[in-house]
Structures are given as C-alpha cells and as structure tokens.
Amino acid sequence: MATTYVLIPGAGGDAAFWQPLVAELCRRGHDAVPVQLPAADEESALPEYAAVVRAAVDGHDDVVLVAQSLGAFTAPLVADHPAVRLLVLLNPMIPAPGETPGEWGDATGHGPARAAYAAAQGRDPDAPVDLAVDFLHDVPDEVAAPLLAGDRASESESVFTRPNPLRRWPDVPTRVVSGRDDRLFPLEFQRRLARERLGVEPAVLPGGHLLAMSQPRLLADLLESWRP
C-alpha cells in the first residue's frame, strides 16, 4: 500500500531541497509532496506556513509528515490533521510549546554545541555558518552545484519573531532522524534535545544536515520501515 509523504523544507522554504528523496520515494511507488513555503514573505510566519502544509495534506490518506530542520516548528501545527499518521523530524529544531525559532538557539545551547563540535574537528569554532562547509560537505557535487551556483533562498525575519501558536506536542507518533556528521546541529546536541523535549531516541544515519540530498536511499529505507 502506497504512503503519501508530505515534505516540509527547512529555512528558505524551497521544495527543491527534497528532489533526490522525492525521486527515491516515487521509484518505490509512494506519493511524495514537497511543499514550497512562502519563506521570503514578511507577512508569513508559522501560522501561514502551517496553512500551506495543511492544504498539501488535504485530499490524501495515510500521510507521513517529514520536516527538515526549521520545518520542525511547522509540522506539529499540522499533525492534528486526521490524515497524518506519523511525524518524522529530520535534523530538527525541536520546539518547546510557545517558543519562537528566534528563541530556540539560546534556549537549547545550540551555539556552544556547534562551536565545540567544530573545534573537536579542527575547524574554526568562531566561523560563521557557511553553505559549503556546514551544509554541503557530504552532498554529491552534481546535487550541490545548483545550490552553490545560485542565490540561496532567504527566510523572512517574521518566522523567527512572531508568536508560535504551539501549546502542546500533538498526540501523533513522532520519530527523529539525525545525521551522524551534521555540522550545524551536532549529533550529541540533537540526541539531548530529542530526549529532553520529546522523550525519543533519534535514529542515526551517516551524513550531514541535508540527508535528503546526501543519503536519499538510506533515508527512504528508514521512512519505509516506519510506515504506519
């Protein structure tokens, strides 16, 4: 039986991020719906993102929501949809109820965790986030090239500062997938956050922050093993 995977991107809101995973899921006979979010629109924030994702879920049955990074703030706002059977968070910014994305970094200790991991690897712990170094270090050249050649999609400030309407985590089974080699959100940082905020142990795949690009087959295998 085919499953519909509704795929929520991270910062920048670009549905194209999911292309390698979409191809892999469709090859296996599933329906994959990558969502394009209005990330550059200053009038849009989490409620508007949730409305776009909810519209993508409408009309489908047996939906698995998969949310990348910042997308973990949007996914729980949609998980009450009757079609959603499972929520999968991928290298996620797991929110606490009411917490905004702008508050998340200080609340979780992300900055020190990232710096410590960089230092342990012999990289500059004070270096700013860099697309090639922090995101694309394990992505195949042919997949990374368009991202490096073009302008990176922007994220409006609104999503970081406007209130988060989440009041409690939804009553839907939730899984977390963490990249063993994620330089942005180091593995031990992700493990701590998943345990503290969701009481779950992440599944770990080899690869960095963009597993849907670097490890689409392994990620699809894992998603299929969790099908409701």
Side-chain angles (χ1 to χ4, degrees), residues 120-143:
Q121 290 195 316
R123 295 182 287 111
D124 181 0
D126 299 317
V129 174
D130 179 271
L131 179 61
V133 172
D134 294 294
F135 291 88
L136 300 175
H137 58 95
D138 67 322
V139 175
D141 290 345
E142 65 274 16
V143 179

Side-chain angles (χ1 to χ4, degrees), residues 119-210:
Q121 290 195 316
R123 295 182 287 111
D124 181 0
D126 299 317
V129 174
D130 179 271
L131 179 61
V133 172
D134 294 294
F135 291 88
L136 300 175
H137 58 95
D138 67 322
V139 175
D141 290 345
E142 65 274 16
V143 179
L147 294 177
L148 291 170
D151 293 330
R152 188 180 174 194
S154 62
E155 186 78 40
S156 77
E157 191 64 23
S158 297
V159 76
F160 293 99
T161 58
R162 281 178 49 188
N164 178 2
L166 182 67
R167 293 295 171 260
R168 59 180 292 273
W169 199 260
D171 188 21
V172 173
T174 302
R175 303 269 195 162
V176 175
V177 185
S178 298
R180 181 193 63 199
D181 312 300
D182 192 336
R183 294 178 176 178
L184 187 66
F185 301 155
L187 176 57
E188 291 309 313
F189 167 77
Q190 291 199 48
R191 279 179 167 150
R192 173 177 61 80
L193 197 62
R195 291 165 181 163
E196 290 177 355
R197 296 197 163 186
L198 297 177
V200 303
E201 190 69 25
V204 180
L205 293 180
H209 195 63
L210 305 183

Side-chain angles (χ1 to χ4, degrees), residues 15 98 170 217:
R217 289 185 182 180

